[in-house]
Amino acid sequence: MSEINIKSEIVVTEKAKQEIKRIKEANNIPENYGLRVGVKGGGCSGMTYTLNFDENTKEGDTVIDSDNVKLYIDGKSLFYLMGTELDFSDGLNGKGFLFNNPNATKTCGCGESFGV
């Protein structure tokens, strides 16, 4: 029987960490704030990703601290985001955060919504 390795956390790339830190600094967001990563219903594929800064964790949150970049993820969102890589692109095809989500069975053309 082969072993299956399932990642339960969100991995944040170096480019994404740098951009999160840049946004916090440019907008005078206090150092102790974390980036709340989540999903909600909507979009052309059924669910959309959400990102916003939050001062406090909430009951049931998972906190991921990666090189002084804190992510807050609620339990429902973590279910859909397990194993996801959060990246940042500033290339010719668009600028913004990218979710490389292994749980998504379909995505829309803009990459902002997904279905499972």
Side-chain angles (χ1 to χ4, degrees), residues 6-111:
I6 300 174
K7 292 182 180 181
S8 61
E9 293 188 351
I10 295 174
V11 175
V12 185
T13 67
E14 197 57 42
K15 282 184 90 171
K17 290 177 202 174
Q18 291 173 2
E19 183 63 12
I20 292 165
K21 290 175 182 179
R22 188 198 68 73
I23 291 170
K24 284 177 75 170
E25 185 176 313
N27 293 283
N28 297 316
I29 297 170
E31 187 66 33
N32 64 316
Y33 276 52
L35 181 66
R36 182 164 293 283
V37 181
V39 297
K40 67 178 183 176
C44 54
S45 291
M47 304 187 90
T48 59
Y49 299 105
T50 62
L51 293 171
N52 61 332
F53 288 100
D54 200 341
E55 180 178 12
N56 300 307
T57 59
K58 297 177 183 170
E59 188 175 331
D61 279 353
T62 294
V63 178
I64 298 171
D65 192 337
S66 180
D67 297 327
N68 294 320
V69 172
K70 288 184 184 163
L71 302 183
Y72 303 153
I73 307 114
D74 67 90
K76 181 181 174 188
S77 294
L78 185 60
F79 176 77
Y80 294 105
L81 295 172
M82 288 190 297
T84 296
E85 178 187 74
L86 178 61
D87 197 5
F88 182 78
S89 173
D90 54 2
L92 296 174
N93 291 333
K95 182 175 183 176
F97 288 99
L98 303 172
F99 289 83
N100 298 313
N101 187 343
N103 305 302
T105 58
K106 60 181 178 176
T107 58
C108 66
C110 64

